[in-house]
Structures are given as C-alpha cells and as structure tokens.
C-alpha cells in the first residue's frame, strides 16, 4: 500500500484512527502490567515506580484518554486518582512533577470539570509548596516530609516553567499564592537581565544555571534541554495575560520578543546542505549541534505568529519562515536515520550527523508539525507527522508497548526497556490532534487553549 506520505489522497481520519490504536496499545499494556505505577518496562513487563511514585503514566495520560474518548479507561483512572496518595517518600523534581503530574490533573479537570482532579492537584501542590520558600524554588522536594533539596543552583528551565500550571491552580482555588509566587520568579529573571547580557553577550537569553538570587552561574545558552521551555512560557504567559487584560502582559511580550530576536539573529544557522538549525553556546563558543528537544521552537515561533505577537509584519513573517525552515530540519532528523536521534551536529563536509544516538520517544517535532499545520494549513505538516508516526511504529513498537532506543543506528539490538509517559501525554496526543478532522467539534484548539510544556491543554481565557 502507498503510505500517506507519498499518496495524494492522505486520509487524516485513517491516520487519526491509527494513532488512537497506537495509544491504546501503549496504555492497555501499562494498565495490564503497571496500573498505578510510574512507568512500564515494555520488554520485560516490569514496572518503574521510584522517580515519582505518583502513577506518572496514568496522570500524564488523563487528558489524552479524555480527548480520544477512552471513556471507560478515563473513569477507571479517575477512580484511582480519587484515592491516590500524593505523599510518597521520594525526592521528586519540582519541575517534572509540576508539568507532568500537576499539569495532567489540572488539564483533566479543565476538560471534564470533575472536581476529583482539581482536589488532587491542590493536594499535590500543597506537598510541593515547601520547595517554595525562597525567591527561586528548590529543584527537588520530598513529598512525604516536605524537606526541600539544596537550592544553591537552579536550572533556568526548571524555575521558568511553572507559571502556567500554578496560574491555573490559582484560578481554580482562588488562592493567589500559587500565581504570585511563580510569577515573581519571572520578575527575578527580568531583574537579572543586565547580568545575563554581560555574561552571555546577548539580550533576551538565559544561562543554563543561576544561583539562588538569579545571578548567572555559566555562559551556556541552550534552546534545547535546560533552556527550552522558559522561552515557550514567556510567550504563553503573554497570551494568557493578554486574554485577561492583566497589566503586566506587555512585560512578557517584550521579554519573549527580545528572546525571539536573539534566537533568529544569532542562534539560527543554515549550512551548505540547506539545514536550518539552532546552535548551542557552550564553553565560550557557538556549537553547530541541535537536540531534538529544540524542535519545540518552530511551534513556539508559529504560535507567536498566530497570536500576532508583534505589529511588525516583516518580523512576524520572519518568525514563521524560520519556524518552517527549522521544522524541515527536524523532519530530516527522522528521514536521514532510522528514527531521530537525541541530538545531531552539522558537519561542514557531511551535513547532519549523529551526536547523541539515543531515541527517548521525544514529542517536540510532532508538536511543531501540529502547530504549523494549524497555522499554515499546509498538508506537508500532516505528511511530516505521518512520517514520524510510521517511524515510531516501525522501530519502537513491540508486543509489550513501546521501547526507547540506546542507539538509533541499531534499532533492533539497542533497545531500552522504558516507555516514557510523554509518549502518551505528548507524542500521541499531538499526532492525534494533527490528524483530527477539521469538521469535528473538538474541545481543543490553539486559540481557546494554551498547552503546558507537557502538552496538557488549559483554558486560555480567550
């Protein structure tokens, strides 16, 4: 059969059904073997429960279950959530727990309006709250004892990617602490902007790590891991604040535009092989390497375009043009190799080569293809998403679920016994929405929703 990639009659409804079946394959294996545990080991059928102890795959999958109309499974998950403990004696990442578990619970509430999820989200937030004693939150907290980890240094994305979730928690509970505390973090970063420029050499970018006052601890600038979502949240917080006419909306817009301008002027490169990519600054110099994580950026730029983030038409058009060019490179990461590696570098003689060979079931390319499809209406982005999906099915699907890979060059022999929760929370959700029929009355779109960085949709107030 001709694949939809080459077929002129690409059927999005067939593609959507295929994605739904893939999600079902993954979730049913989890449900049968590891229900209520964090993660499934798809090769051995074992379970992992030591990183969160918060039924991670279940809580991260709630809104996907809801959107894909897995009604019975959603009700079973809700019953589990209603009695679930949010106080395991585990030092959890404040950032990961917020975006994945708290975000998942809040999105399930936003969609279903079932208070069970809001109550559990609040219970969890109260357990995280002891990490919020200083201007910048501790990176980890023991959910049983409330003992926070050290807060001598902070990864910038981890402190700059909490605002959307806690803002919505404030809306749901009417307790302003959550919104005020997390938004003050952005004020701290803004206050340190001159120090960042002095250390990094550019406006609008942030170091990889800062100290407890927000001062820079290095000159590493990343639009991949450790940096990525702080830029995304500046844009999305502007959207949320603009929609509710908040006085400081303009501050977020200016911060985002400053970041986007530096990204486009100094960090985006095109090589001799016509690969447009985002560089990384490390050890005092620019490095021609890009993580798959940075493939979120085309979606971010396209969302800013959709929301008219600047009145400068030429600049706005540049945002979209560069977004599409980077997204082309993200697709090439899937077509050049069996499936995308974790990171590539751009060699002057050979073009795109593997830098880090793992595949962790990352969703960022699918996220950007979904947003670009919604913004441009170009079928090529649906075809791009279908290519990604076919690669996932061919190289990651096994009888017991979906594996990740230690080396994409040897996908059959270098399998990793871990099914990530974001496969279900993000990758399959974005692909499903990408192929969703335009005529269906869908509760999700890019105007009435803002997705958190784990693909959990929350109301935008629009």
């Amino acid at each position: 059969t001709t694949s939809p990639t080459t077929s002129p009659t690409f059927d999005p409804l067939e593609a959507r059904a295929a994605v739904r079946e893939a999600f079902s394959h993954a979730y049913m294996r989890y449900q049968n073997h590891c229900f209520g545990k964090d993660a499934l080991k798809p090769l051995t059928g074992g379970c992992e429960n030591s990183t969160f102890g918060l039924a991670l795959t279940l809580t991260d999958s709630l809104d996907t279950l809801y959107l894909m109309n897995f009604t019975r499974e959603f009700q079973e998950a809700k019953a589990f959530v209603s009695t679930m403990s949010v106080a395991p004696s585990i030092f959890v990442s404040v950032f990961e727990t917020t975006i994945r578990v708290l975000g998942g619970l809040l999105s399930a509430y936003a969609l279903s309006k079932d208070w069970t999820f809001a109550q559990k989200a609040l219970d969890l937030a109260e357990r995280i709250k002891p990490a919020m004693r200083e201007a910048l939150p501790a990176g980890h907290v023991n959910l049983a004892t409330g003992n926070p980890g050290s807060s001598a240094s902070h990864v910038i994305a981890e402190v700059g990617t909490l605002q959307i979730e806690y803002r919505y928690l404030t809306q749901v509970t009417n307790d302003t602490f959550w919104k005020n505390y997390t938004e003050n973090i952005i004020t701290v970063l803004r206050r340190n902007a001159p120090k960042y420029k002095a250390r990094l050499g550019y406006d609008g970018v942030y170091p990889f790590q800062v100290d407890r006052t927000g001062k820079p601890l290095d000159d590493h600038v990343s639009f991949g891991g450790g940096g990525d979502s702080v830029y995304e949240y500046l844009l999305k917080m502007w959207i949320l604040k603009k929609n509710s006419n908040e006085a400081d909306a303009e501050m977020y817009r200016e911060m985002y535009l400053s970041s986007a301008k530096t990204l486009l002027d100094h960090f985006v490169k095109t090589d001799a092989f016509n690969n447009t990519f985002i560089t990384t600054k490390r050890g005092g110099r620019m490095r021609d390497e890009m993580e798959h994580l940075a493939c979120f950026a085309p979606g971010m730029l396209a969302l800013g375009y959709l929301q008219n983030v600047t009145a400068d038409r030429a600049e706005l058009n540049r945002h979209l043009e560069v977004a599409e060019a980077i997204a082309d490179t993200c697709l090439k990461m899937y077509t050049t190799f069996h499936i995308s590696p974790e990171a590539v570098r751009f060699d002057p003689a050979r073009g795109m080569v593997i830098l880090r060979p793992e595949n962790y079931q990352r969703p960022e390319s699918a996220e950007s293809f979904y947003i670009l499809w919604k913004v441009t209406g170009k079928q090529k982005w649906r075809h791009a998403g279908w290519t990604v999906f076919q690669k996932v099915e061919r190289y990651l699907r096994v009888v017991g679920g979906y594996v990740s890979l230690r080396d994409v060059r040897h996908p059959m022999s270098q399998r990793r016994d871990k099914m990530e929760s974001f496969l279900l929370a993000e990758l399959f959700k974005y692909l499903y929405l990408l192929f969703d029929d335009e005529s269906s009355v869908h509760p999700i779109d890019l105007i009435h929703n803002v997705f958190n960085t784990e693909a959990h949709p929350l109301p935008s107030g629009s």
Side-chain angles (χ1 to χ4, degrees):
T1 61
T2 43
S3 79
T5 313
T6 53
S7 155
T9 54
F10 177 67
D11 184 349
L13 288 182
E14 281 179 26
R16 190 182 77 163
V19 173
R20 188 178 186 274
E21 187 282 326
F23 174 89
S24 176
H25 174 71
Y27 189 82
M28 297 312 162
R29 297 304 178 282
Y30 165 77
Q31 192 172 40
N32 292 341
H33 292 282
C34 299
F35 190 76
K37 302 281 198 298
D38 280 340
L40 166 71
K41 296 181 172 180
L43 292 174
T44 55
C47 309
E48 201 172 279
N49 205 41
S50 58
T51 315
F52 295 87
L54 295 168
L56 178 66
T57 297
L58 183 152
T59 45
D60 222 357
S61 298
L62 288 167
D63 52 11
T64 316
L65 287 167
Y66 187 92
L67 291 170
M68 291 187 182
N69 296 312
F70 286 105
T71 313
R72 192 187 78 219
E73 290 77 11
F74 182 77
Q75 291 302 326
E76 289 164 356
K78 185 188 104 171
F80 179 85
V81 166
S82 67
T83 62
M84 164 182 136
S85 164
V86 288
S89 187
I90 295 177
F91 259 102
V92 299
S93 159
V94 170
F95 161 70
E96 295 285 354
T97 304
T98 295
I99 66 170
R100 294 163 87 166
V101 184
L102 188 73
L105 291 167
L106 289 171
S107 183
Y109 170 69
L111 289 165
S112 71
K113 296 293 182 279
D114 191 310
W115 188 254
T116 305
F117 300 113
Q119 184 60 56
K120 194 60 65 171
L122 180 58
D123 294 347
L124 175 60
E126 292 289 356
R127 290 279 168 182
I128 295 171
K129 195 174 187 177
M132 301 177 172
R133 287 173 184 154
E134 297 187 29
L136 299 181
H140 291 79
V141 66
N142 184 313
L143 292 174
T145 65
N147 180 28
S150 155
S151 50
S153 71
H154 304 269
V155 175
I156 199 75
E158 297 189 356
V159 295
T161 314
L162 306 169
Q163 291 68 25
I164 290 172
E165 297 80 1
Y166 290 104
R167 181 181 193 279
Y168 186 62
L169 186 64
T170 283
Q171 285 180 4
V172 171
T173 61
N174 290 321
D175 179 352
T176 57
F177 167 80
W178 310 107
K179 177 179 189 288
N180 292 346
Y181 176 80
T182 53
E183 289 183 14
N184 184 61
I185 294 167
I186 303 301
T187 311
V188 171
L189 300 185
R190 190 161 181 266
R191 215 169 35 232
N192 279 282
K195 293 190 182 81
Y196 302 149
K197 184 173 186 180
R199 183 82 186 256
L200 307 171
Y202 303 105
D203 284 310
V205 289
Y206 301 91
F208 193 75
Q209 290 194 306
V210 296
D211 72 10
R212 61 182 65 225
T213 68
K215 285 208 288 288
L217 290 175
D218 56 54
D219 65 353
H220 178 178
V221 177
S222 169
F223 286 91
D228 48 11
S229 45
V230 70
Y231 304 104
E232 172 193 349
Y233 272 36
L234 291 175
L235 171 66
K236 290 176 175 178
M237 285 294 287
W238 166 69
I239 293 168
L240 291 167
K241 285 172 168 291
K242 159 182 73 90
N243 289 344
S244 55
N245 296 312
E246 287 176 46
D248 59 348
E250 185 60 20
M251 174 185 99
Y252 283 83
R253 187 179 79 94
E254 286 170 3
M255 289 174 76
Y256 170 71
L257 283 174
S258 175
S259 301
K261 185 167 177 13
T262 293
L263 169 64
L264 270 53
D265 288 350
H266 301 288
F267 284 81
V268 172
K269 273 182 75 167
T270 302
D271 68 5
F273 298 85
N274 205 30
N275 297 306
T276 298
F277 59 94
I278 302 173
T279 58
T280 302
K281 183 170 189 273
R282 194 175 65 248
R285 63 188 183 89
M286 291 297 202
R287 294 166 192 267
D288 291 351
E289 51 191 57
M290 184 166 93
E291 293 176 296
H292 186 279
L293 285 162
C295 287
F296 88 99
M300 174 184 76
L301 290 165
L303 183 62
Y305 173 91
L306 179 69
Q307 294 275 354
N308 291 309
V309 70
T310 172
D312 181 340
R313 235 22 249 187
E315 183 67 1
L316 206 57
N317 290 337
R318 183 167 77 122
H319 283 205
L320 187 60
E321 280 158 26
V322 173
E324 294 200 79
I326 298 167
D328 283 335
T329 303
C330 293
L331 177 59
K332 275 189 212 166
M333 290 172 72
Y334 287 86
T335 55
T336 305
F337 313 105
H338 292 306
I339 192 168
S340 174
E342 176 71 356
V344 291
R345 65 183 180 83
F346 299 89
D347 184 279
R350 294 183 295 158
M352 182 191 288
V353 295
I354 291 175
L355 178 65
R356 299 216 296 276
E358 307 82 10
N359 177 287
Y360 296 125
Q361 310 173 335
R362 297 274 184 212
E364 292 77 21
S365 289
E367 171 186 359
S368 284
F369 299 158
Y370 161 64
I371 298 170
L372 283 165
W373 155 248
K374 288 294 187 187
V375 172
T376 69
K378 291 180 184 173
Q379 286 293 335
K380 70 177 273 191
W381 299 120
R382 279 184 151 175
H383 291 149
W386 182 252
T387 298
V388 169
F389 179 66
Q390 287 179 306
K391 296 275 193 163
V392 168
E393 290 297 284
R394 180 168 176 189
Y395 295 110
L396 306 185
R397 184 170 175 138
V398 293
V399 172
Y402 286 82
V403 293
S404 27
L405 302 176
R406 284 194 291 269
D407 192 330
V408 299
R409 289 164 296 204
H410 309 286
M412 298 309 165
S413 62
Q414 290 294 314
R415 290 172 163 166
R416 177 173 169 263
D417 196 13
K418 175 84 187 278
M419 187 170 82
E420 300 288 353
S421 72
F422 46 74
L423 175 76
L424 295 93
E426 300 190 70
L427 183 56
F428 288 150
K429 183 189 289 131
Y430 279 128
L431 289 170
Y432 182 83
L433 292 172
L434 172 64
F435 302 131
D436 200 29
D437 180 24
E438 294 303 288
S439 65
S440 75
V441 181
H442 212 282
I444 295 302
D445 66 52
L446 290 174
I447 298 299
H448 298 98
N449 297 93
V450 164
F451 288 88
N452 89 332
T453 198
E454 187 81 3
H456 295 306
L458 295 170
S460 71
S462 174

